[in-house]
Structures are given as structure tokens and as C-alpha cells.
Amino acid sequence: MTLREAEEGKEYIIKAIETDDEELDSFLFSLGCYSGEPITVVSHLKRSCVVSIKDGRYNIDRQLAEAIII
């Protein structure tokens, strides 16, 4: 299941990041978004979603949400 399909308010564990873009992969890692890390979807918006990772909240677009496997 991808982050795009996640239920709001429920904590998930990231299983994998599926992207061929090395820059995107390193960007997600810098946010604390990597395999084994807990992540919570705060809310789904039309073209993005707000997630909580560690102590921060981030607005990520659909492409990023679909690359994060939970």
C-alpha cells in the first residue's frame, strides 16, 4: 500500500521508497523518511497530503506519496 492510500490519523511504518530518482531519494531521507521509520498521514488534500515524520509536518505531493510504500 502506498502513502496515498493511507488512512488519516493512523501511524504506519515505511517499508520502502520506490523511486529511481537519486535526488528525490536523498531529499526524503533528509526529512527522516526512510525504511523502518514511523509516518502518520495528518490529512489528504486534492493534489497532496500532509504527513508527520519524527517532529515535523510536511506537505508532500502525489508523486512523493505514491513512492512511499507502507
Side-chain angles (χ1 to χ4, degrees), residues 58-69:
Y58 305 99
N59 185 16
I60 60 173
D61 67 8
R62 180 173 285 179
Q63 179 187 7
L64 280 174
E66 290 175 354
I68 301 170
I69 308 302

Side-chain angles (χ1 to χ4, degrees), residues 29-42:
F29 187 82
S30 72
L31 296 179
C33 187
Y34 46 84
S35 185
E37 193 65 32
I39 189 169
T40 304
V41 175
V42 177

